[in-house]
Amino acid sequence: MTLQDITSLMKNASVKDTALVEKAYLFAQDAHKSHTRYSGEPYFLHLFETAKLIAELGADASAIAAGFLHDTIEDVSVKPETIQKEFGSEVLALVEGVTKLGQLRYRGIDRYSESMRRLFVASSKDLRVLIVKLCDRLHNMRTLKHVPKEKQKRIAMETLEIYAPIAYRLGIRKINRELEELSFPFVYPEEHKKVTETLKRKHPELSKKLTKFHKSLLKALVRQSIKVSSSNLRLKNLYSLYNKLKHREWDFGKIYDTLAIRVIVPSIEDCYQSLGVIHGHWRPLPGRIKDYIAFPKPNGYRSLHTTVFTGDGEIIELQIRTEEMHKESEYGVAAHFSYKESSRKEKNKNNDEQLSRIGQLYKGLLSWRSKGTGNGSISFESDRSGIPRWVQDLGDLNAGAEEKEFWEQLRGDFFKNRIFIFTPKGDVVDLPFDSSPIDFAYSIHSDIGDHLVGAKVNGKLMPIDTELKSGDIVEILTKKGGRPTAKWIDIVKTSVAKKHIRASLQKQDEKKPRP
Ligand code: MN
């Protein structure tokens, strides 16, 4: 638990950065010195591990310092003013973002929702708040066995329902996977046992066959002079396996991607060439070839996927990508940490290039605002760069959202089945299942929703209550005189759309002449 364990993970750290982290390290050690964890270990261990996880993600010195300090206000009554004075307002904002509200003012679920809301409001201004919170939660999950039994299930459930999906949506697969694996046995002990046992029975035979296939695969690629940087055969995580088994009558034979082979090659050309070589040798399963390089997932994920018949009765999923794509797929949004506007401007020109790259990468994630509402033509401009739209939306919900609605959003809309809809320009918007063109319009901008008069889906004029399907290209037609009607509330699936429609209806009401 030395300071060097952390500073050695920091890239391009200035003397000032290192000093800030060191100060936070010493401050936390002292503030929590008489404070222990359920395991009996010093509390500082938790702070150290949290800060280390943040550093591993590549976050900056302020985020790492916040990792050390994140429990000081809540657990050992350090005053916010003290953090401000010692570490500045940037670190204080991060710490306050993850701090729960005072015990006295709020109790039970109210207090809890308020804390959650605060987390999203803070995150919608600075995404690092969410990163600190995720790392805090990950370490708590790693040590959940020490927590009293009656608390374990609630914490694990919340992790599975809220934090693991957040990590997924941010594209931080590394944390998403670990949170799922750690929560699964606490939330569904029976099912966990069943999956583990099924796997124990089937796995050895399967793994033998596939190891053989893996070898022939590499041979085939090398013969075509493709330089494979690395590749591995791995078992997909137990929780996602459970979700698949559940939907396929627990028939192991129906799951094609229990095991997957990941092939890392130097360039994008190599990715497509490898795919060609593989399909030349092994017949692919129709409908399972996915080009996430040309069409990245909204969380930024890029890779080629295909599923092939191995020739000895097995079917296996292959993922082909470059080293850079792999890093992004593991670290997501954290692989391109976005700093606040002010610090950005101070840095050198290189940053502009980096920024435009981030912009491109997270095109689908960024928030786009329309410039004027001409007749159906929509142009976009990003704001609060680097902060995913859905985080902003959750933060914005703060304003007057009903308690129930907030939770519905968090549990439902945001994390359940999502569909990916494209704008005519190729930007991706993700929406809940069965969303309509109205939801799509409001997800782009409230002005577009408010003036919607029609929609083209895949080039064809369609009713505005059409249920959209993933991959649809939707163009919204607007007119100055367009207005929402009360009927729209029943059509839309997103709370954001509901909120704007209600507001617009109310405005129309107020304008009506009074009798
Ligand atoms: Mn903590």
Side-chain angles (χ1 to χ4, degrees):
M1 271 208 290
T2 68
L3 182 64
Q4 281 69 36
D5 292 338
I6 303 235
T7 49
S8 65
L9 293 166
M10 295 166 66
K11 283 178 205 111
N12 317 319
S14 67
V15 178
K16 222 173 118 197
D17 290 340
T18 317
L20 180 74
V21 170
E22 181 176 9
K23 195 171 174 189
Y25 173 97
L26 295 171
F27 187 95
Q29 206 167 31
D30 184 59
H32 293 268
K33 62 175 179 285
S34 49
H35 186 191
T36 53
R37 300 264 290 168
Y38 281 119
S39 62
E41 288 165 310
Y43 198 86
F44 180 69
L45 181 74
H46 167 64
L47 307 167
F48 178 84
E49 291 299 329
T50 303
K52 194 169 161 216
L53 284 165
I54 296 167
E56 279 168 3
L57 284 176
D60 65 348
S62 302
I64 299 170
F68 276 118
L69 303 169
H70 77 271
D71 282 327
T72 50
I73 297 179
E74 190 176 337
D75 291 344
V76 287
S77 309
V78 170
K79 289 209 166 59
E81 302 82 70
T82 312
I83 305 275
Q84 161 99 43
K85 198 174 130 243
E86 299 293 324
F87 300 95
S89 49
E90 194 178 335
V91 174
L92 175 66
L94 293 172
V95 173
E96 285 200 308
V98 296
T99 300
K100 290 187 199 127
L101 291 183
Q103 219 102 18
L104 288 173
R105 273 178 51 212
Y106 293 93
R107 276 173 208 282
I109 191 81
D110 279 352
R111 172 175 170 261
Y112 184 68
S113 307
E114 279 310 311
S115 305
M116 212 42 142
R117 233 188 282 252
R118 173 191 276 206
L119 174 69
F120 281 105
V121 171
S123 304
S124 67
K125 294 185 193 112
D126 188 338
L127 202 55
R128 292 174 300 178
V129 171
L130 217 37
I131 304 291
V132 173
K133 189 68 198 175
L134 283 175
C135 292
D136 170 41
R137 180 52 62 117
L138 179 54
H139 184 252
N140 283 336
M141 286 306 297
R142 283 182 181 173
T143 51
L144 192 65
K145 60 175 185 289
H146 301 295
V147 169
K149 275 253 153 10
E150 67 277 9
K151 284 189 173 178
Q152 283 175 345
K153 191 164 175 172
R154 181 186 61 75
I155 296 172
M157 179 72 104
E158 180 188 280
T159 303
L160 207 53
E161 282 191 336
I162 295 168
Y163 292 102
I166 288 175
Y168 180 82
R169 293 292 304 282
L170 291 174
I172 314 175
R173 285 289 282 151
K174 204 175 151 59
I175 289 185
N176 161 260
R177 270 197 307 267
E178 197 179 339
L179 288 178
E180 284 181 354
E181 290 304 274
L182 291 168
S183 323
F184 183 29
F186 288 99
V187 180
Y188 303 108
E190 288 302 312
E191 291 83 348
H192 180 260
K193 218 171 112 197
K194 204 168 158 190
V195 175
T196 319
E197 276 164 8
T198 314
L199 209 57
K200 235 189 243 157
R201 269 201 322 276
K202 307 267 184 180
H203 188 244
E205 184 204 357
L206 191 63
S207 140
K208 213 171 114 197
K209 279 188 186 169
L210 293 178
T211 307
K212 214 177 107 208
F213 170 80
H214 189 195
K215 276 188 196 140
S216 357
L217 172 78
L218 292 179
K219 226 185 268 168
L221 292 174
V222 169
R223 239 184 270 137
Q224 297 298 317
S225 318
I226 295 170
K227 286 197 194 86
V228 177
S229 317
S230 72
S231 86
N232 65 2
L233 173 69
R234 66 193 178 87
L235 182 67
K236 285 232 176 158
N237 87 38
L238 290 182
Y239 182 63
S240 67
L241 199 58
Y242 156 70
N243 278 320
K244 286 181 176 160
L245 282 168
K246 209 170 54 179
H247 290 114
R248 291 174 183 76
E249 299 94 40
W250 287 84
D251 183 348
F252 216 77
K254 286 187 185 155
I255 298 175
Y256 305 134
D257 48 4
T258 325
L259 289 150
I261 292 179
R262 183 186 296 140
V263 181
I264 312 275
V265 290
S267 69
I268 292 179
E269 290 75 49
D270 294 322
C271 292
Y272 288 107
Q273 210 195 331
S274 304
L275 186 72
V277 172
I278 291 163
H279 286 175
H281 277 77
W282 294 276
R283 204 151 60 84
L285 214 65
R288 297 202 38 113
I289 306 161
K290 308 260 166 65
D291 186 347
Y292 296 121
I293 295 179
F295 300 101
K297 285 190 188 179
N299 68 2
Y301 180 83
R302 290 185 302 159
S303 187
L304 296 177
H305 285 194
T306 185
T307 303
V308 301
F309 296 95
T310 59
D312 57 0
E314 294 305 333
I315 290 173
I316 188 167
E317 183 183 276
L318 303 172
Q319 304 173 346
I320 310 157
R321 58 179 86 140
T322 65
E323 186 61 51
E324 191 192 0
M325 291 175 200
H326 182 58
K327 239 185 228 143
E328 282 162 14
S329 81
E330 291 293 288
Y331 295 104
V333 110
H336 306 274
F337 253 102
S338 68
Y339 299 94
K340 291 204 320 216
E341 215 58 51
S342 57
S343 53
R344 248 183 216 140
K345 278 173 190 148
E346 286 161 22
K347 285 180 184 159
N348 54 30
K349 276 187 200 149
N350 281 344
N351 253 21
D352 289 341
E353 272 165 47
Q354 204 196 343
L355 261 181
S356 82
R357 234 183 69 68
I358 295 170
Q360 296 222 305
L361 254 165
Y362 290 98
K363 232 174 160 184
L365 277 175
L366 299 181
S367 164
W368 302 92
R369 296 237 156 154
S370 71
K371 281 184 199 159
T373 39
N375 276 334
S377 74
I378 299 164
S379 59
F380 298 99
E381 175 195 349
S382 78
D383 65 325
R384 285 192 265 177
S385 15
I387 312 269
R389 159 119 225 162
W390 58 274
V391 176
Q392 297 184 27
D393 286 346
L394 279 174
D396 289 346
L397 262 186
N398 189 37
E402 293 287 325
E403 165 85 22
K404 223 179 106 213
E405 199 162 324
F406 177 75
W407 284 99
E408 269 171 17
Q409 275 276 24
L410 204 52
R411 293 220 155 88
D413 282 14
F414 279 85
F415 303 131
K416 285 231 180 84
N417 299 320
R418 307 292 296 188
I419 50 170
F420 305 133
I421 306 299
F422 293 84
T423 69
K425 284 185 175 171
D427 295 317
V428 195
V429 172
D430 69 329
L431 292 168
F433 218 68
D434 289 344
S435 285
S436 64
I438 309 176
D439 292 293
F440 177 73
Y442 277 107
S443 81
I444 295 169
H445 194 270
S446 59
D447 267 354
I448 296 178
D450 283 346
H451 296 103
L452 172 148
V453 289
K456 279 185 180 172
V457 180
N458 304 321
K460 255 196 243 151
L461 214 52
M462 295 292 276
I464 56 169
D465 61 352
T466 304
E467 286 179 0
L468 298 175
K469 283 187 293 300
S470 225
D472 282 345
I473 299 169
V474 179
E475 187 185 340
I476 298 297
L477 309 173
T478 57
K479 230 184 218 154
K480 252 209 163 106
R483 295 263 181 286
T485 68
K487 220 181 92 193
W488 288 16
I489 301 228
D490 300 325
I491 299 170
V492 298
K493 293 285 182 291
T494 53
S495 312
V496 173
K498 268 185 200 152
K499 185 177 88 178
H500 287 307
I501 295 168
R502 271 194 211 116
S504 171
L505 290 174
Q506 206 177 352
K507 241 192 260 158
Q508 292 177 41
D509 244 19
E510 284 161 9
K511 275 190 201 149
K512 268 187 207 148
R514 307 218 168 245

